[in-house]
Amino acid sequence: MTAPKIAMVLAAGLGKRMLPITETLPKPLVRIAGKTLLDWGLDSLAAAGVTRAVVNVHYLPEQIVAHVAGRKQPAIIISDESESLLNSAGGIVKALPELGAKPFYILNADTFWIDRDEPNLKRLALAWDASRMDILLMLADLDSATGHSGGTDFLAAPDGTLARAAGDPTGMIYAGAAVINPRIFDGAEPTPHSLNLYFDRAIADGRLFGMKMEGQWITVGTPDAIAPAEAVVAAALAQDA
């Protein structure tokens, strides 16, 4: 398919695990190696050819709105959830009028990655097959992850279909990026609910697939995760120098 030109960036979370930093700063604006988490994600989208990104906001929204106002690529559209936090899927449903009817990227604003060669989002678009897939997740193995304190999320079959890993150490982690077909939200209301509902439906239908990313995946969930994240970025920059 033609690579998606539109993305949904999930940036409305409360960031409670990042306290006390998030008492006065929304988590997407926490800086790693001088760049905000949000900009790490938006830069990856721009590198993949995305021209428009819908960013949802809830907690300290005016800071995020002001921060993205200067971005030229991708163009930013704000989806305001100030009155009610809608969780991952509810936020997407609310933004569907801006996202359109074609498959689009979704991206969590609190994770990012260092690409190895070809950008992983471009690889994700190349792997997408609408005839077989409703959702295609980017996955990372435990050895490629920094800052991850939990278990694994999914097990991949040889054909790429996914099942829940239930912490199986041979499984992989959902890396916070995906391509998704908006038709899976047909009939859904913009009320608080999770993407996990749609993941499980796609598993039941044999239409949840995964692609293993190449490079280093970084998640920043707590203040203690900042230093390891910056060390990985520094090492990657030194390797490229």
Side-chain angles (χ1 to χ4, degrees), residues 39-50 71 107 112-113 115 119 121:
D39 284 318
W40 279 105
L42 291 171
D43 287 350
S44 291
L45 291 169
V50 170
R71 281 201 70 105
L107 198 67
F112 68 100
W113 58 91
D115 290 314
L121 291 180

Side-chain angles (χ1 to χ4, degrees), residues 5 27 31-32 44 50 58 85 90 95 97 107 110 117 141 160 190 223:
K5 299 297 184 184
K27 185 178 178 182
R31 290 182 180 271
I32 302 297
S44 291
V50 170
H58 172 76
L85 186 60
L107 198 67
D110 60 353
D117 294 308
D141 59 30

Side-chain angles (χ1 to χ4, degrees), residues 8 25 33 45 97 111 129 145 153 183 202 207 209 218:
M8 177 78 198
L25 186 74
L45 291 169
T111 64
D129 180 353
D153 300 308
R183 72 176 182 82
R207 295 183 64 84
F209 283 72
I218 302 165

